[in-house]
């Protein structure tokens, strides 16, 4: 039997020629009812891309509201909530590989690395792949890989001010954070605060973890922190990496 994918590449029979009645064969109805990825709205609003690139060049960071598709955020939020409820998350650490340390006084989130196991994850990663191509095209960044994890901050959790990579020492180049929490209240806490590259005491921006919000910044340049959250807080933190294997200074595999 032919695979459904072959049927999908047929000319669109849904648009009848002039004068033809608006009916479909049973087979066509079946075909058209398949959940086509192409029928989904873009995961990342396309109009955000040029702004994101300009902001990254001019100030090293970008914040956007309503950038991530609302339905996708809802699905990812449900997936992360389910993982948290069945205790399937791991406590987040500081550092990598052998040097990984648990430091509740520095960060209190629990994580799960994205592994493409759901359609929602694949949509999110697909969108990040497009962002990677756009960044490489516009900025010649040579990004070649993306890694990301869900992060669940229970009430009271925070992440102290930090950089995501250290100049010349690691290969994380651009950081992304997507927020998943619908109807985040004004007093919910959990904002991410960005600081000036040359003065880590000076706040330059702050983003609420409201579903749809998206942040992007240079990993070795922008100090940032997560303020203590009052409510359970869901996000996806991710990093575009470059293959900086010179001198054995590449980040060890996680
Ligand atoms: C991180 C991080 C910010 C956030 O995981 O490195 O800074 O808002 N996360 O979740
Ligand atoms: Mn960070």
């Amino acid at each position: 039997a032919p695979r459904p994918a072959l049927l999908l590449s047929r000319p669109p029979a849904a648009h009848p020629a002039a004068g033809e009645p608006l009916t479909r064969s049973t087979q066509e109805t079946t075909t058209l009812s398949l959940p086509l990825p192409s029928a989904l709205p873009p995961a990342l609003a396309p109009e955000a891309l040029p702004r994101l690139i300009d902001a990254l060049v001019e100030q090293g960071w970008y914040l956007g509201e309503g950038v991530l598709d609302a339905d996708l955020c809802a699905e990812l939020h449900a997936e992360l909530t389910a993982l948290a409820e069945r205790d399937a998350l791991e406590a987040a650490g500081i550092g990598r590989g052998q040097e990984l340390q648990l430091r509740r006084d520095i960060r209190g989130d629990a994580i799960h690395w994205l592994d493409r196991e759901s359609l929602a994850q694949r949509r999110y990663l697909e969108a990040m792949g497009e962002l990677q191509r756009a960044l490489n095209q516009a900025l010649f960044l040579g990004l070649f890989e993306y890694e990301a994890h869900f992060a669940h901050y229970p009430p009271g959790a925070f992440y102290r001010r930090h950089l995501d990579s250290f100049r010349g020492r690691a290969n994380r180049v651009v950081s992304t954070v997507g927020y998943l929490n619908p109807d985040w209240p004004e007093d919910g806490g959990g904002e991410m605060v960005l600081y000036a590259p040359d003065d880590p005491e000076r706040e330059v921006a702050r983003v609420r973890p409201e579903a749809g919000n998206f942040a992007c910044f240079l990993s070795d340049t922008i100090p940032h922190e997560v303020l203590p959250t009052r409510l359970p807080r869901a996000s996806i933190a991710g990093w575009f990496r470059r293959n900086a294997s010179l001198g054995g200074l590449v980040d060890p595999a996680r």
Side-chain angles (χ1 to χ4, degrees):
R3 300 193 41 126
L6 295 174
L7 292 175
L8 299 180
S9 62
R10 248 188 344 200
H15 300 209
E20 245 181 76
L22 278 167
T23 55
R24 295 172 191 153
S25 75
T26 317
Q27 192 189 23
E28 277 160 3
T29 306
T30 309
T31 303
L32 292 167
S33 70
L34 281 174
L36 293 185
S38 59
L40 295 167
L44 195 76
E47 63 273 18
L49 271 185
R51 284 185 217 159
L52 183 155
I53 286 167
D54 283 352
L56 221 48
V57 170
E58 275 156 33
Q59 57 194 17
W61 55 270
Y62 164 85
L63 298 179
E65 290 183 342
V67 170
L68 297 172
D69 179 62
D71 290 335
L72 176 61
C73 287
E75 282 171 39
L76 292 165
H77 188 257
E79 191 173 339
L80 175 52
T81 303
L83 287 165
E85 277 169 4
R86 60 182 170 81
D87 238 347
L89 301 174
E90 48 184 297
I94 304 294
R96 276 177 169 255
Q98 301 264 329
E99 285 158 43
L100 190 76
Q101 284 184 63
L102 253 189
R103 288 286 303 270
R104 288 321 208 186
D105 55 329
I106 297 179
R107 72 183 288 195
D109 56 328
I111 65 168
H112 176 82
W113 290 95
L114 266 59
D115 50 14
R116 310 189 73 87
E117 70 199 346
S118 66
L119 175 62
Q121 283 192 29
R122 292 192 292 276
R123 275 185 76 197
Y124 191 85
L125 292 170
E126 193 56 47
M128 294 304 117
E130 275 165 35
L131 176 54
Q132 177 176 317
R133 283 188 285 281
L135 291 173
N136 281 340
Q137 213 162 54
L139 308 173
F140 307 104
L141 285 175
L143 309 173
F144 84 117
E145 197 178 73
Y146 182 73
E147 59 177 1
H149 62 58
F150 283 117
H152 171 80
Y153 289 71
F158 52 81
Y159 192 163
R160 293 273 184 242
R161 188 170 57 206
H162 64 281
L163 285 172
D164 285 342
S165 76
F166 295 93
R167 206 161 301 199
R169 280 219 37 107
N171 59 0
R172 284 176 169 179
V173 180
V174 176
S175 303
T176 64
V177 191
Y179 295 101
L180 307 179
N181 311 283
D183 306 316
W184 192 258
E186 211 55 61
D187 62 352
E191 294 93 346
M192 179 172 69
V193 182
L194 305 182
Y195 295 94
D198 50 356
D199 179 5
E201 302 295 324
R202 183 163 63 86
E203 176 176 335
V204 292
R206 166 179 297 230
V207 59
R208 280 154 30 85
E210 173 70 30
N213 289 354
F214 187 74
C216 190
F217 51 89
L218 299 178
S219 303
D220 67 357
T221 305
I222 305 295
H224 56 284
E225 80 174 310
V226 177
L227 299 179
T229 186
R230 201 172 59 73
L231 302 169
R233 174 197 194 270
S235 59
I236 297 179
W239 299 271
F240 294 107
R241 294 157 61 109
R242 187 153 53 199
N243 195 3
S245 56
L246 277 181
L249 293 174
V250 65
D251 287 341
R254 58 170 194 259

